[in-house]
């Protein structure tokens, strides 16, 4: 991102504008977490919604990045940071924990570290490959092609999330657990009924 901005702005201004993307990432994880909890833990659905909202912004950047005014560009970068940061933070934490409890793993809690490591390791590997591809794409096809590349990668991510989304939509929302009295828990289901174990 700083490299792209430095082709349009002085280095100091480019670095300042690029920080808006990082600032946008900070509330992203909180928002995704709150929304997914409100929807009964359907994190996959929330992540895909965020990525689908990201797609038009990437298309705008592909078409108009070279001609965008500074203020709209700053706003888009901050919003992109929020839309990317939220799914990234949730995938590497809450979704990893969900996967560790999947039936395929047999409820083996010891596998949580392996699952988280695989997710983070895969993400780092893909990011490294992407950074190596960037110069070849921009030199051969220009910066617009790079934004299209990221758009295609985002769409592929949404497609790969399809099995989890289908599973989440078939499941009933998770029960909310709250402490009622000392030593007892009240479990509230999606229909508002309560039961005490």
């Amino acid at each position: 991102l700083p490299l792209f901005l430095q082709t349009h702005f002085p280095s100091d201004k480019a670095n300042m504008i690029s920080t808006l993307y990082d600032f946008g990432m900070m509330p992203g994880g909180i928002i995704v977490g709150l929304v997914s909890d409100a929807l009964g833990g359907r994190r996959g659905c929330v992540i895909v919604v965020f990525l689908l909202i990201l797609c038009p912004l990437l298309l705008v950047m592909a078409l108009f990045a070279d001609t965008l005014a500074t203020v709209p560009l700053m706003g888009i970068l901050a919003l992109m940071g929020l839309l990317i940061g939220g799914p990234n933070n949730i995938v590497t934490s809450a979704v990893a924990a969900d996967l560790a409890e999947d039936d395929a793993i047999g409820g083996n809690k010891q596998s949580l570290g392996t699952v988280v490591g695989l997710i983070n390791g895969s993400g780092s590997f893909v990011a490294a490959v992407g950074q190596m591809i960037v110069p070849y794409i921009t030199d051969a096809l220009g910066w617009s092609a790079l934004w299209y590349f990221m758009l295609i990668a985002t769409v592929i991510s949404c497609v790969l999330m399809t099995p989890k989304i289908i599973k989440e939509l078939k499941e009933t929302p998770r029960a909310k657990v709250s402490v009622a009295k000392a030593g007892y828990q009240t479990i509230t289901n999606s229909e508002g009924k309560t039961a005490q174990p």
Side-chain angles (χ1 to χ4, degrees):
L1 182 59
L3 180 61
F4 165 75
L5 292 172
Q6 285 174 12
T7 63
H8 298 80
F9 303 98
S11 297
D12 56 343
K13 190 174 183 179
N15 291 330
M16 183 188 69
I17 294 175
S18 68
T19 59
L20 291 172
Y21 176 84
D22 298 318
F23 279 115
M25 292 185 72
M26 288 189 285
I30 299 173
I31 294 173
V32 171
L34 290 173
V35 174
S36 63
D37 287 344
L39 295 177
R42 293 190 172 102
R43 299 182 182 96
C45 296
V46 178
I47 288 172
V48 169
V49 169
F50 269 57
L51 294 179
L52 290 176
I53 297 173
L54 175 66
C55 288
L57 297 180
L58 292 172
L59 183 60
V60 168
M61 292 296 291
L63 296 173
F64 307 111
D66 293 332
T67 58
L68 273 176
T70 303
V71 173
L73 177 62
M74 293 169 66
I76 289 176
L77 290 178
L79 185 55
M80 287 173 63
L82 187 149
L83 295 171
I84 294 173
N88 177 69
N89 293 332
I90 293 298
V91 164
T92 56
S93 55
V95 172
D98 290 344
L99 291 175
E101 297 175 358
D102 192 84
D103 294 337
I105 299 178
N108 184 4
K109 300 293 184 181
Q110 295 178 347
S111 61
L112 177 58
T114 302
V115 172
V116 174
L118 286 172
I119 291 175
N120 287 328
S122 300
S124 299
F125 174 76
V126 173
V129 172
Q131 290 297 321
M132 290 189 291
I133 293 176
V134 165
Y136 295 102
I137 295 177
T138 54
D139 291 344
L141 302 172
W143 284 101
S144 293
L146 180 63
W147 294 110
Y148 282 118
F149 169 75
M150 289 190 285
L151 175 59
I152 293 170
T154 303
V155 172
I156 293 174
S157 299
C158 293
V159 173
L160 293 176
M161 288 289 293
T162 302
K164 181 166 179 59
I165 294 172
I166 294 173
K167 182 180 178 180
E168 288 182 352
L169 293 176
K170 289 181 179 179
E171 293 176 345
T172 56
R174 296 177 182 175
K176 297 179 181 179
V177 179
S178 60
V179 177
K181 296 181 180 179
Y184 292 92
Q185 287 182 330
T186 300
I187 302 175
T188 305
N189 60 24
S190 59
E191 297 177 355
K193 299 177 181 179
T194 61
Q196 291 185 346

